[in-house]
Amino acid sequence: MIDTEVTVRRASDADAPALAGLRWRRAIQERGYQGDNLDEFVATLGDWMRGHPEHRAFVAEAAGEVVGMAWLAVLDRVPTANKYARRGGDVQSVFVVPELRDRRVGALLMAAVLNEARRLELEHVTVHSSTRAVPFYERNGWGHDPEWLSWASEA
């Protein structure tokens, strides 16, 4: 249970610096990045968000601070003979600050993302998860499917 009130909402352009800060923090703390280009990255992410409206960001806030994020990429799919408009989704870049992990913040973000997927009538939503997060997704209604395959570039 959360001991501080957390709210989740759809992010706006004004949230770009906070979203960039979370992505920056993840890169440094979990991936060992040592760059010094934070200001450039903040500007780049803001521009990217404005140029990619099919990517919907959601933020979790606690005590007036953005403490988590999750992104839903909405993808048009090839029409079929009986369904011309088809869309799917992909969950990307889910992150909660370490000090608030395992306190249902991620579950609140995932509920917002999946509510958006339902509202948009997406056929399916996928996620590529870290090993650590697999149990989180399973607790939140995700399942494995032997028909889903992936390919990764060697680069």
Side-chain angles (χ1 to χ4, degrees), residues 51-107:
H52 294 84
E54 71 280 6
H55 284 71
R56 293 157 164 81
F58 293 83
V59 294
E61 293 179 307
E65 183 178 337
V66 174
V67 297
M69 67 179 169
W71 296 70
L72 175 65
V74 178
L75 312 164
D76 288 329
R77 301 193 67 216
V78 176
T80 64
N82 64 337
K83 190 168 185 186
Y84 298 166
R86 300 176 63 217
R87 293 190 297 176
D90 187 59
V91 172
Q92 302 176 349
S93 195
V94 177
F95 179 78
V96 174
V97 295
E99 55 272 22
L100 288 180
R101 288 184 185 158
D102 300 317
R103 296 166 85 181
R104 305 228 9 100
V105 176

Side-chain angles (χ1 to χ4, degrees), residues 13-149:
D13 286 348
D15 293 305
L19 290 163
L22 289 177
R23 290 203 42 86
W24 186 265
R25 184 173 176 178
R26 181 180 193 183
I28 289 173
Q29 292 178 340
E30 297 180 4
R31 304 219 166 115
Y33 182 67
Q34 298 179 355
D36 62 358
N37 58 323
L38 177 58
D39 291 338
E40 179 183 353
F41 179 63
V42 168
T44 298
L45 184 65
D47 290 343
W48 185 89
M49 286 175 65
R50 285 182 289 283
H52 294 84
E54 71 280 6
H55 284 71
R56 293 157 164 81
F58 293 83
V59 294
E61 293 179 307
E65 183 178 337
V66 174
V67 297
M69 67 179 169
W71 296 70
L72 175 65
V74 178
L75 312 164
D76 288 329
R77 301 193 67 216
V78 176
T80 64
N82 64 337
K83 190 168 185 186
Y84 298 166
R86 300 176 63 217
R87 293 190 297 176
D90 187 59
V91 172
Q92 302 176 349
S93 195
V94 177
F95 179 78
V96 174
V97 295
E99 55 272 22
L100 288 180
R101 288 184 185 158
D102 300 317
R103 296 166 85 181
R104 305 228 9 100
V105 176
L108 293 171
L109 282 163
M110 197 50 47
V113 165
L114 294 178
N115 284 339
E116 180 76 352
R118 285 182 198 93
R119 187 184 73 74
L120 295 171
E121 300 179 358
L122 302 184
E123 292 182 15
H124 66 265
V125 179
T126 59
V127 65
H128 179 246
S129 176
S130 68
T131 302
R132 179 193 180 280
V134 168
F136 161 77
Y137 288 106
E138 290 174 335
R139 284 191 310 271
N140 285 279
W142 295 78
H144 296 273
D145 187 327
E147 293 180 8
W148 290 99
L149 307 171

